[in-house]
Amino acid sequence: MVVITSLPPPTEGIVHQQKSTSANLQGKDMGTGTLVIAESRLAWAPTDTSGQGFSLEYPGISLHAVSRDLSSFPHECLYVMVNAKPEDCSVTQREDDDDDDDDEAEITEIRFIPEDKGALDAMFDAMATCQSLHPDEDDSNSEEESDIYEDAEEGEGDGEWFTGEEGVSHLTEEGQATLQRLENLLTTGSSNHTDGMETGNPSNTGTEETDAMETDGGQFDDADPEH
C-alpha cells in the first residue's frame, strides 16, 4: 500500500537513510526530501514541511531495482513497483472498502533519485534486507502445508502390529472372513501339490530297484561266457 501522509518517517529500526533524494510518484515530481528505509516500512519525507510524504509497506512491494537506463527515465534511480494505488490517509474507511477491488488491479511506480548516485546500491541492499523481514503470506502458507504433508509421511507405519491369535482378534468381521479364505486357498494348494507327487512305499520302491539291479546283473552274467 502507498499511503500519502504528512506523518513523520519512522525513527526506530532504520537501516539506511538517504538525504537529498527526489521522489517521482506515477510520473509526478514530488520534490526533494529524505528517504528512510526502516525495518517496519519505507518512507519518504519532503524537505518542504508543508508538503506531503508517503510510506510503503514491504508486503505490498512487488519489485525494486536499480535503474540506470536513461532511455526509460532521465535519471539513475531506485525503481519500486507496488501492487496498489496511492491512497491519501484522510480518506474514510468506507471509501477504502469501496476501492478494494480497484486497488487489486492497480500498480504504482515510484522512483527515488538520490543526489549521490553512488548510494543507489546501498539503498537497494537496505530495501532487500528489510523486505526479507516481511515474507509473503502465501509463501508462508505453502511452507506450512508442506510441513503438514511431511509430518503425515513421517507418521506412516507408526501403527501397532499384532501377530497370532491376538492379531486375528483385532480384525473386523470382514477382515477375518478374508483371512479364512486365504487360509483355505493355501490348504487347497498344498493338497493339490501332494497329489501330484509319487506316494508309494519307500521300502517297496527300494526292493523294486534292488530286483531290477539283480536282474540286470544276471543278464550281464549270461553275457560273460560269450567272450
Side-chain angles (χ1 to χ4, degrees):
M1 179 183 295
V2 184
V3 180
I4 307 298
T5 178
S6 57
L7 297 175
T11 57
E12 297 181 356
I14 296 175
V15 178
H16 185 88
Q17 181 170 297
Q18 191 66 37
K19 296 182 179 180
S20 302
T21 299
S22 301
N24 184 288
L25 177 64
Q26 291 291 75
K28 178 182 178 180
D29 183 12
M30 304 291 289
T32 303
T34 300
L35 175 66
V36 179
I37 304 173
E39 295 177 350
S40 59
R41 58 192 172 94
L42 180 148
W44 179 84
T47 302
D48 183 358
T49 56
S50 62
Q52 284 188 314
F54 56 86
S55 64
L56 309 177
E57 296 179 355
Y58 289 110
I61 298 176
S62 59
L63 174 68
H64 74 280
V66 174
S67 174
R68 293 187 171 90
D69 183 7
L70 301 183
S71 62
S72 60
F73 190 75
H75 306 285
E76 295 182 6
C77 61
L78 178 66
Y79 174 84
V80 178
M81 180 186 291
V82 182
N83 292 328
K85 67 179 182 180
E87 293 182 358
D88 194 308
C89 64
S90 63
V91 298
T92 63
Q93 183 63 40
R94 182 178 180 82
E95 290 174 338
D96 285 342
D97 293 340
D98 291 340
D99 292 341
D100 281 347
D101 294 337
D102 295 336
D103 290 348
E104 294 178 359
E106 292 288 340
I107 291 178
T108 300
E109 293 182 316
I110 306 171
R111 292 175 173 83
F112 297 105
I113 309 99
E115 184 177 342
D116 179 11
K117 299 300 187 291
L120 283 171
D121 289 337
M123 293 163 60
F124 173 88
D125 292 340
M127 275 201 66
T129 298
C130 294
Q131 195 161 11
S132 67
L133 302 176
H134 303 267
D136 187 79
E137 292 183 358
D138 292 337
D139 292 340
S140 299
N141 292 336
S142 298
E143 291 178 0
E144 291 176 0
E145 291 177 0
S146 177
D147 292 340
I148 291 174
Y149 288 121
E150 288 178 0
D151 293 341
E153 291 176 356
E154 292 175 358
E156 290 180 356
D158 292 340
E160 296 183 85
W161 292 84
F162 300 97
T163 59
E165 295 182 357
E166 182 184 3
V168 175
S169 64
H170 283 79
L171 292 175
T172 62
E173 293 182 0
E174 183 178 357
Q176 293 181 10
T178 301
L179 178 61
Q180 185 62 45
R181 286 197 297 272
L182 290 174
E183 290 179 347
N184 291 339
L185 289 173
L186 291 174
T187 302
T188 302
S190 175
S191 176
N192 291 338
H193 181 67
T194 303
D195 292 341
M197 296 176 64
E198 295 181 1
T199 57
N201 189 328
S203 59
N204 294 337
T205 303
T207 303
E208 293 171 357
E209 291 177 353
T210 302
D211 294 343
M213 292 178 65
E214 291 177 353
T215 302
D216 293 340
Q219 291 175 352
F220 285 117
D221 291 340
D222 294 339
D224 287 341
E226 296 180 2
H227 292 286

